[in-house]
Amino acid sequence: MIPFANPSLRFQQFENRLNQSFSEVLNSGQLILGNQVEKFESNFSQYIGTNYCIGVNSCTDAITLSLKASNINSGDEVITTGLTAPATAIGIINSGATPVIVDIENNTHCIDINAIEDAISEKTKAIIPVHLHGFPADMPAIKEIAKNHNLIVIEDCAQAHGATINGQKVGSIGHFGVFSFYPTKNLGCPGDGGAISTNDVRAAEYIKTLRNYGIKDNRITNTGLNSRLDEVQAAILGVLLPELNDHNATRRMYARKYIAELESMDITLPVSSEDAVYHQFVIKVKNRDRVRQQLLGMGIATGIHYDKSLKYHPALANYCKELPIAHKACNEMISLPIQPEILDNHFDEIISALKTVLVG
Ligand SMILES: *Cc1c(COP(=O)(O)O)cnc(C)c1O
């Protein structure tokens, strides 16, 4: 069976260097909030192009902490997209604010700009666009809306480390960028991790206290979370960050190859873009379940991102507007393997199976 994704294959490629960084941490005697975290924060903010980066435990917490630092909580509304990891909405709910979940745009599958405008109320305080599947959301339009309504913009970059808009990295365009280093992400560690990028010095300082219970000068003045990036994960991320551009370029190369091979098929393909980082390579087909089943029969595992819009989660449904475009996309999407470490060995096999199944 060709797996859909296998992050261990990537870690194994850098095994010696990762083991070395692990030993360094063990021998340093500093296991929590030490040099490795500081060094990674500095390198990652430089990579993204912001003045500050704060390492945290996950993207879910990064969303909660960005909202807390913006003084957004109970009674406030935060607009986000109906097609994303449920974690995006959970991060909002954990802050005390109310998510207002709106439909997507049919081509990019990112949040629909008109739907944002329609959802703005007196209570709206922030917008959280998601750069879904590694494709940047329409940030110029979102920033314009935010400016007109005085809203905070938090970019969910969990699927888009290194993606760009007009040469500017996502995560440096809104007030905050929030990242996940979950193992399968474009930049992943063998555990949990996350980060917040920002140019706001006051928010950055505040988030540094909030991620560590809220402690400042040995006193809790505002209650926070226990949400630290640990030294081991930071050290490993420090080894993998310099490899990220090559990794993304290889994903783009395979995306171009998929597109060239499948162009004549009766399916919807993602666009070829130098701005995207192809966290997923998502095609849309009419008879999705049959296609996935047949591919599986030929030894090829695929994924779906996502099989349901957020409206289908019982605890999230009440926060959702009508989501017809997301709903339709969810019924047609298939994520093909796009991890370079898998395609390096199996691309031809996958293409030949796809061609057989898609004409059938
Ligand atoms: C993975 C993901 C998250 C959650 O990240 P965690 O680090 O697991 O909290 C949030 N948003 C999106 C778009 C994701 O893909």
Side-chain angles (χ1 to χ4, degrees):
M1 177 68 64
I2 300 173
F4 168 66
N6 179 359
S8 292
L9 293 175
R10 179 153 182 81
F11 300 134
Q12 280 157 7
Q13 248 184 355
F14 300 99
E15 193 165 354
N16 288 340
R17 285 162 65 200
L18 297 188
N19 283 339
Q20 201 183 328
S21 66
F22 179 61
S23 301
E24 253 175 61
V25 173
L26 293 191
N27 295 327
S28 74
Q30 275 187 312
L31 298 171
I32 299 286
L33 295 183
N35 292 337
Q36 298 288 351
V37 169
E38 244 175 64
K39 204 162 61 180
F40 176 72
E41 288 174 338
S42 158
N43 290 337
F44 195 64
S45 63
Q46 210 164 49
Y47 178 80
I48 295 300
T50 54
N51 292 337
Y52 309 100
C53 163
I54 308 98
V56 297
N57 177 258
S58 66
C59 186
T60 311
D61 283 356
I63 291 169
T64 305
L65 290 165
S66 301
L67 290 168
K68 275 178 171 284
S70 307
N71 206 20
I72 294 171
N73 44 45
S74 174
D76 298 330
E77 290 179 355
V78 178
I79 297 172
T80 194
T81 165
L83 191 64
T84 180
T88 309
I90 303 297
I92 299 169
I93 294 166
N94 286 348
S95 77
T98 303
V100 175
I101 300 170
V102 305
D103 210 355
I104 59 165
E105 191 276 315
N106 191 44
N107 293 316
T108 63
H109 307 125
C110 292
I111 193 165
D112 178 56
I113 301 305
N114 295 321
I116 298 177
E117 300 260 24
D118 292 345
I120 288 175
S121 78
E122 297 281 283
K123 295 179 181 169
T124 307
K125 291 286 158 57
I127 309 171
I128 307 188
V130 176
H131 305 302
L132 194 73
H133 302 150
F135 282 83
D138 186 355
M139 289 307 296
I142 291 166
K143 275 186 71 161
E144 185 65 25
I145 295 174
K147 202 174 86 193
N148 292 339
H149 297 271
N150 199 19
L151 307 176
I152 296 287
V153 177
I154 302 171
E155 299 175 69
D156 183 336
C157 307
Q159 305 189 359
H161 319 66
T164 53
I165 302 174
N166 301 325
Q168 204 179 349
K169 293 242 169 52
V170 302
S172 70
I173 302 167
H175 298 90
F176 299 94
V178 292
F179 293 84
S180 171
F181 305 123
Y182 184 89
T184 55
K185 308 294 188 185
N186 287 37
L187 179 60
C189 57
D192 274 310
I196 300 166
S197 55
T198 186
N199 286 316
D200 181 338
V201 60
R202 188 205 56 82
E205 289 305 316
Y206 189 28
I207 290 169
K208 278 191 175 179
T209 69
L210 288 177
R211 74 170 167 190
N212 191 29
Y213 317 120
I215 205 154
K216 192 184 179 195
D217 300 330
N218 240 355
R219 290 288 179 274
I220 305 285
T221 39
N222 292 289
T223 54
L225 310 179
N226 174 351
S227 184
R228 299 169 298 231
L229 180 65
D230 69 62
E231 286 285 291
V232 169
Q233 305 303 338
I236 286 172
L237 289 165
V239 173
L240 295 175
L241 177 59
E243 310 294 335
L244 178 60
N245 281 348
D246 277 353
H247 181 73
N248 285 340
T250 311
R251 281 178 183 260
R252 278 194 289 269
M253 184 271 289
Y254 277 118
R256 283 194 300 272
K257 281 179 70 158
Y258 265 133
I259 291 167
E261 293 282 354
L262 300 175
E263 227 158 25
S264 59
M265 301 278 156
D266 185 23
I267 61 174
T268 306
L269 287 162
V271 297
S272 179
S273 165
E274 286 298 303
D275 287 338
V277 293
Y278 298 92
H279 174 63
Q280 303 296 354
F281 187 87
V282 175
I283 61 171
K284 288 193 282 190
V285 299
K286 286 282 178 294
N287 34 20
R288 190 261 307 281
D289 294 338
R290 175 187 70 78
V291 170
R292 286 194 80 211
Q293 208 51 46
Q294 288 185 343
L295 285 171
L296 199 62
M298 298 170 88
I300 294 159
T302 56
I304 308 182
H305 299 89
Y306 294 88
D307 70 328
K308 298 282 184 230
S309 77
L310 295 191
K311 206 174 175 71
Y312 287 82
H313 295 276
L316 303 178
N318 284 344
Y319 301 115
C320 294
K321 306 277 191 196
E322 292 303 316
L323 307 172
I325 311 222
H327 180 72
K328 181 162 182 290
C330 287
N331 287 327
E332 297 180 351
M333 286 177 157
I334 303 178
S335 305
L336 301 179
I338 188 65
Q339 195 186 327
E341 295 77 25
I342 292 169
L343 295 187
D344 286 347
N345 295 315
H346 299 293
F347 184 78
D348 294 344
E349 227 175 312
I350 293 170
I351 280 296
S352 119
L354 274 167
K355 284 182 171 170
T356 307
V357 168
L358 288 174
V359 294

